[in-house]
Amino acid sequence: GQQVMQIPQYQHVQEGEDFTTYCNSSTTLSNIQWYKQRPGGHPVFLIQLVKSGEVKKQKRLTFQFGEAKKNSSLHITATQTTDVGTYFCAERLSGNTPLVFGKGTRLSVIA
Amino acid sequence: NAGVTQTPKFRVLKTGQSMTLLCAQDMNHEYMYWYRQDPGMGLRLIHYSVGEGTTAKGEVPDGYNVSRLKKQNFLLGLESAAPSQTSVYFCASSSDRTYEQYFGPGTRLTVT
């Protein structure tokens, strides 16, 4: 079945350092989504990538979709304590299939 | 708009008891989902629905049943709870155009 590999599982950074999480799929994807879950909270949608090689930015967050549409990354520049949480990628093979979530990367930011 | 709401927020059950978790959305979304979240396991799909009156199995459906009698509601039932069903349960909904999912606040269930 479809598998979503997300690395690393945990990341501890000093405030101000950069952070990157990666998502790799065994199959070509229709699109990929990213979610953030704060401790004790629920997942919140961040962005969806659809096109091969697509790059999108949201303030300090940069999202990339690989050229072959099999991998994606989320990069945070100059982390802040408000970035603490777990970041999930979620993959979809085709338009009407359910999302498959990665296991997430838990980010801790040390002030 | 309330978005996606879930009831109850917390529940403790004894092994063998039954219960129903209710999810409601006011965004007129076609698709609704039930996930469970366990430490280190991410979000795993239990059941989902692509429209009123339809349901389908997800990755971990055993021990659960669902119903979608009304478009805005999606019910998750546990007929005979087991300790392995101790988890946090999230409901989500999405439109059939954008597919971004909106999650409810979750239900923390403990089965003793």
Side-chain angles (χ1 to χ4, degrees):
Chain A
Q2 186 181 358
Q3 292 190 355
V4 182
M5 300 300 296
Q6 192 172 352
I7 54 171
Q9 190 174 2
Y10 302 97
Q11 186 81 55
H12 306 279
V13 300
Q14 288 284 137
E15 190 172 23
E17 292 182 338
D18 291 356
F19 159 76
T20 305
T21 174
Y22 301 89
C23 194
N24 297 300
S25 174
S26 55
T27 55
T28 302
L29 305 170
S30 169
N31 60 63
I32 195 161
Q33 297 181 5
W34 285 92
Y35 292 77
K36 176 184 179 181
Q37 184 177 22
R38 294 183 186 274
H42 59 275
V44 175
F45 174 82
L46 293 175
I47 208 159
Q48 176 170 273
L49 304 172
V50 179
K51 299 177 183 176
S52 168
E54 189 170 15
V55 177
K56 287 188 176 180
K57 293 191 175 184
Q58 292 179 350
K59 296 182 181 178
R60 294 178 295 103
L61 278 61
T62 302
F63 303 85
Q64 288 190 297
F65 202 5
E67 293 290 341
K69 298 183 76 173
K70 287 187 174 182
N71 57 75
S72 181
S73 65
L74 159 59
H75 179 82
I76 302 178
T77 303
T79 55
Q80 299 175 359
T81 54
T82 54
D83 296 323
V84 165
T86 301
Y87 293 84
F88 293 96
C89 63
E91 307 177 341
R92 186 188 305 280
L93 283 180
S94 63
N96 58 359
T97 57
L99 287 175
V100 177
F101 281 81
K103 293 186 178 180
T105 296
R106 184 183 296 179
L107 173 65
S108 298
V109 178
I110 305 163
Chain B
N1 286 355
V4 180
T5 58
Q6 293 182 233
T7 53
K9 288 187 169 53
F10 303 93
R11 186 73 186 268
V12 178
L13 287 179
K14 295 191 176 184
T15 298
Q17 289 185 319
S18 63
M19 78 164 294
T20 300
L21 282 68
L22 171 64
C23 176
Q25 52 96 4
D26 61 2
M27 296 174 282
N28 201 35
H29 284 165
E30 288 294 330
Y31 295 175
M32 295 187 75
Y33 315 84
W34 276 107
Y35 295 92
R36 61 177 289 172
Q37 185 173 39
D38 304 293
M41 298 297 291
L43 290 157
R44 292 185 291 170
L45 183 65
I46 304 171
H47 286 280
Y48 65 101
S49 169
V50 299
E52 182 179 316
T54 70
T55 62
K57 294 180 180 179
E59 179 187 356
V60 289
D62 293 342
Y64 306 94
N65 56 75
V66 288
S67 64
R68 184 113 181 257
L69 299 180
K70 293 183 179 181
K71 185 177 183 179
Q72 63 268 35
N73 296 335
F74 196 27
L75 278 64
L76 177 71
L78 286 73
E79 290 187 347
S80 180
S84 61
Q85 293 178 305
T86 293
S87 188
V88 179
Y89 292 86
F90 287 102
C91 175
S93 71
S94 67
S95 77
D96 56 355
R97 291 182 296 108
T98 64
Y99 298 107
E100 63 187 74
Q101 294 192 6
Y102 294 82
F103 283 80
T107 295
R108 187 173 296 274
L109 175 66
T110 302
V111 183
T112 61

